[in-house]
């Protein structure tokens, strides 16, 4: 199958595979991520879902927003579930009981179900080499249960389990760099994407589906409830995350790092932090060190990523929009 | 919708109808209403791409049509992302019921 051309008008003629009527919050980033992932390809897709906002609000009783076969079993095993489905499919095709229709297998999980709770099953599925794509929509906390910190929560963020107050000024640890951890599994394709750069995201999905073996994508997904921002700025914040290099867009294909989008001008991190209420306390005079530390961390990570990309022959400048 | 009892439900928590959430209309959640001003629209389709609720209708030719107010939750992402024509936005948010 040839890859689908990514022209907005052509794409708009297609049928949605994730439909309206789901009960995600107004202005949520996750449905944008899911629709872009499913839109990028015409392959038949089977998806599994870790427990999380996306799962509980896209399939309630007899109402499902999915137009693809979709399975949910528990919080911690989205990757194990889809790897089982994939193994079953392969076996049935081998036995001649099923015609091979080039079905693609995708698992969706939030950052809680990927970074923390689902990590062992994800790591296992990747190590076993199942032909699947795992998409993590990272909103940086357990938003579904009311904003508890996860290992994806950025430094300084105020959550209900690390509340900013007299005792601590928000989360004191840096976030875990899961994209790099997945790359360390030695899988053929790992990428980081943002729904604001839809072309980049969809190209990465297309690329992933053409590669055999385990693939992982980490996608930022703004949450206006947890991030304490406005309902209309999900895409704007996803863009700011990229432009401040808090969330650089890159891919690691067979161990080769490539930056797929380099902002013309790297914006200061405060541009990303300021619109979010979860970082409000960091702007108090006594917490100035936090802003400095957060900026330093982002600078170091970005510097390091650029060095890695340069080691493999520089970065390619991807066209925007 | 009529009440379902366990005898009539499919076994194993299976949903047999794909995309059945379309029967559940979320338009009632909206407090702000997006308004499309066609003469300022350059058909960039960004509103369609970024809508989290798949509430921007598209014609058979792939052109932008009216909002689907049955499902639009009024988040306003479309209005913020709309580039408009010569600085005039093609989507503006209005208070619901005005």
């Amino acid at each position: 199958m040839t890859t689908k051309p990514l022209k907005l008008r052509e794409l708009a003629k297609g049928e949605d595979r994730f439909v309206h009527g789901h009960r995600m919050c107004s202005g949520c980033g996750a449905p944008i991520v899911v629709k872009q992932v499913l839109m990028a390809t015409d392959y038949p897709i089977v998806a599994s879902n870790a427990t999380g906002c996306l799962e509980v609000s896209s399939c309630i009783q007899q109402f499902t927003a999915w137009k693809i076969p979709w399975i949910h079993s528990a919080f911690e095993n989205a990757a194990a579930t889809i790897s089982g489905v994939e193994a079953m499919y392969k076996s049935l095709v081998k036995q001649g009981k099923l015609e091979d229709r080039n079905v693609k297998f995708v698992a969706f999980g939030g950052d809680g179900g990927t970074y923390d709770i689902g990590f062992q099953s994800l790591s296992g599925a990747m190590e076993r080499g199942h032909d699947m794509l795992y998409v993590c929509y990272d909103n940086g906390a357990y938003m579904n249960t009311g904003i508890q910190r996860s290992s994806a929560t950025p430094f300084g963020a105020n959550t209900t389990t690390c509340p900013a107050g007299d005792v601590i000024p928000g989360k004191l640890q840096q976030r875990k760099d899961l994209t790099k951890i997945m790359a360390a599994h030695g899988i053929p394709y790992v990428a980081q994407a943002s729904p604001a750069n839809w072309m980049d995201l969809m190209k990465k999905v297309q690329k992933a589906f053409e590669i055999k073996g385990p693939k992982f994508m980490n996608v930022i997904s703004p949450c206006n409830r947890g991030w304490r921002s406005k309902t209309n700025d999900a895409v704007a914040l996803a863009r700011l995350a990229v432009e401040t290099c808090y969330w650089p867009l890159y891919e690691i294909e067979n161990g080769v790092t490539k930056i797929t989008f380099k902002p013309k001008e790297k914006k200061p991190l405060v541009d990303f932090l300021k619109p979010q209420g979860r970082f409000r306390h960091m702007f108090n005079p006594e917490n100035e060190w936090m802003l400095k530390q957060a900026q330093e961390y982002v600078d170091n990570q970005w510097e390091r990523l650029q060095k890695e990309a340069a080691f493999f022959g520089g970065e390619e400048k991807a066209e925007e929009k | 919708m009529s009440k379902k009892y366990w005898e009539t439900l499919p076994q194993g928590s299976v949903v047999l109808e794909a995309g059945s959430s379309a029967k559940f209309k979320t338009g009632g959640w909206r407090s702000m209403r997006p308004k499309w001003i066609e003469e300022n629209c350059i058909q960039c389709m960004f509103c369609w791409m970024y809508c989290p609720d798949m509430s921007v209708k598209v014609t058979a030719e792939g052109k932008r049509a009216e909002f689907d107010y049955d499902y639009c939750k009024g988040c306003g992402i479309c209005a913020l992302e709309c580039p408009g024509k010569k600085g005039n936005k093609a989507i503006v948010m209005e208070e619901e019921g005005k």
Side-chain angles (χ1 to χ4, degrees):
Chain A
M1 193 183 279
T2 48
T3 40
K4 207 171 167 181
L6 293 178
K7 290 213 173 90
L8 271 173
R9 257 173 235 173
E10 292 305 309
L11 290 170
K13 286 181 202 168
E15 198 199 2
D16 286 326
R17 290 204 264 186
F18 186 73
V19 301
H20 45 211
H22 63 76
R23 284 172 242 185
M24 307 292 279
C25 304
S26 169
C28 174
I32 312 178
V33 175
V34 173
K35 94 184 211 190
Q36 289 180 357
V37 169
L38 298 181
M39 203 190 287
T41 178
D42 285 330
Y43 284 121
I45 295 179
V46 176
S48 82
N49 211 166
T51 305
C53 291
L54 180 67
E55 180 266 322
V56 296
S57 32
S58 67
C59 192
I60 299 174
Q61 281 191 343
Q62 70 267 50
F63 299 107
T64 176
W66 302 82
K67 278 201 169 170
I68 54 172
W70 178 89
I71 179 169
H72 163 255
S73 67
F75 205 152
E76 67 282 4
N77 60 6
T81 307
I82 202 71
S83 62
V85 175
E86 188 258 357
M88 181 69 164
Y89 175 77
K90 242 174 31 194
S91 168
L92 287 174
V93 169
K94 210 164 156 189
Q95 293 172 48
K97 289 181 181 165
L98 204 66
E99 184 197 348
D100 191 2
R101 287 166 55 213
N102 220 341
V103 179
K104 300 292 172 188
F105 299 90
V106 186
F108 288 100
D111 57 284
T114 308
Y115 283 65
D116 302 343
I117 297 175
F119 186 67
Q120 47 79 19
S121 80
L122 169 63
S123 183
M126 296 283 132
E127 189 269 330
R128 291 192 300 273
H130 290 281
D131 187 14
M132 58 174 274
L133 167 67
Y134 193 103
V135 180
C136 168
Y137 68 98
D138 180 348
N139 50 25
Y142 291 85
M143 301 307 183
N144 180 36
T145 44
I147 323 162
Q148 287 84 24
R149 90 191 264 292
S150 76
S151 55
T153 307
F155 170 75
N158 177 18
T159 70
T160 50
T161 43
C162 55
D166 298 337
V167 183
I168 49 161
K171 188 182 168 183
L172 290 169
Q173 299 81 16
Q174 293 290 353
R175 61 198 301 279
K176 180 158 109 182
D177 193 347
L178 188 70
T179 316
K180 292 274 171 63
I181 297 171
M182 294 325 291
H185 281 68
I187 56 175
Y189 191 73
V190 176
Q192 198 158 279
S194 156
N197 301 52
W198 59 270
M199 177 87 91
D200 177 81
L201 187 148
M202 286 164 81
K203 269 188 190 158
K204 282 171 180 162
V205 174
Q206 288 188 338
K207 201 167 188 178
F209 281 142
E210 295 307 323
I211 297 169
K212 222 175 156 52
K215 283 90 56 177
F216 177 81
M217 271 180 77
N218 205 356
V219 188
I220 193 164
S221 164
C223 164
N224 57 59
R225 295 297 307 123
W227 293 16
R228 300 286 178 227
S229 62
K230 293 189 194 117
T231 57
N232 65 357
D233 56 10
V235 175
L237 282 174
R239 190 175 293 120
L240 274 171
V242 174
E243 287 171 347
T244 55
C245 297
Y246 165 79
W247 195 266
L249 302 183
Y250 66 97
E251 58 185 17
I252 301 174
E253 194 181 349
N254 295 318
V256 177
T257 310
K258 195 168 97 184
I259 298 173
T260 54
F261 174 73
K262 216 173 171 178
K264 278 196 197 92
E265 196 190 342
K266 183 170 170 280
K267 290 188 176 166
L269 187 66
V270 285
D271 288 10
F272 174 66
L273 304 180
K274 191 93 205 185
Q276 300 178 46
R278 63 174 173 162
F279 297 117
R280 191 168 41 215
H281 57 282
M282 286 169 77
F283 291 88
N284 293 345
E286 71 272 20
N287 287 333
E288 216 186 310
W289 63 276
M290 295 185 83
L291 288 176
K292 224 172 118 194
Q293 195 170 319
Q295 180 69 59
E296 255 168 36
Y297 181 75
V298 168
D299 288 347
N300 283 343
Q301 294 292 98
W302 176 237
E303 202 61 38
R304 216 179 140 141
L305 184 68
Q306 279 178 305
K307 273 185 195 154
E308 273 172 34
F311 178 76
F312 291 112
E315 59 279 316
E316 187 195 55
K317 208 178 165 223
E319 64 271 51
E320 237 290 66
K321 275 169 188 173
Chain B
M1 191 165 283
S2 62
K3 221 172 180 180
K4 284 190 176 172
Y5 297 94
W6 69 270
E7 302 98 320
T8 55
L9 287 168
Q11 282 183 6
S13 299
V14 177
V15 184
L16 297 168
E17 192 188 345
S20 54
S21 68
K23 287 181 188 163
F24 187 87
K25 296 189 174 164
T26 51
W29 295 18
R30 189 173 59 239
S31 60
M32 297 296 280
R33 187 185 181 86
K35 193 178 140 198
W36 180 44
I37 306 160
E38 201 174 348
E39 60 263 31
N40 292 341
C41 182
I42 57 166
Q43 295 288 339
C44 67
M45 306 303 281
F46 286 172
C47 52
W48 168 81
M49 175 52 92
Y50 292 135
C51 178
D53 293 300
M54 282 56 84
S55 296
V56 176
K57 288 183 190 163
V58 178
T59 65
E61 294 84 52
K63 285 208 158 184
R64 193 202 190 284
E66 225 351 300
F67 280 107
D68 195 340
Y69 291 113
D70 280 350
Y71 303 99
C72 170
K73 293 171 191 159
C75 64
I77 289 177
C78 52
L80 192 75
E81 295 302 319
C82 179
K85 200 190 260 176
K86 291 172 190 157
N88 294 317
K89 289 256 183 194
I91 302 168
V92 287
M93 300 302 288
E94 288 174 340
E95 214 168 301
E96 190 67 49
K98 257 196 181 166

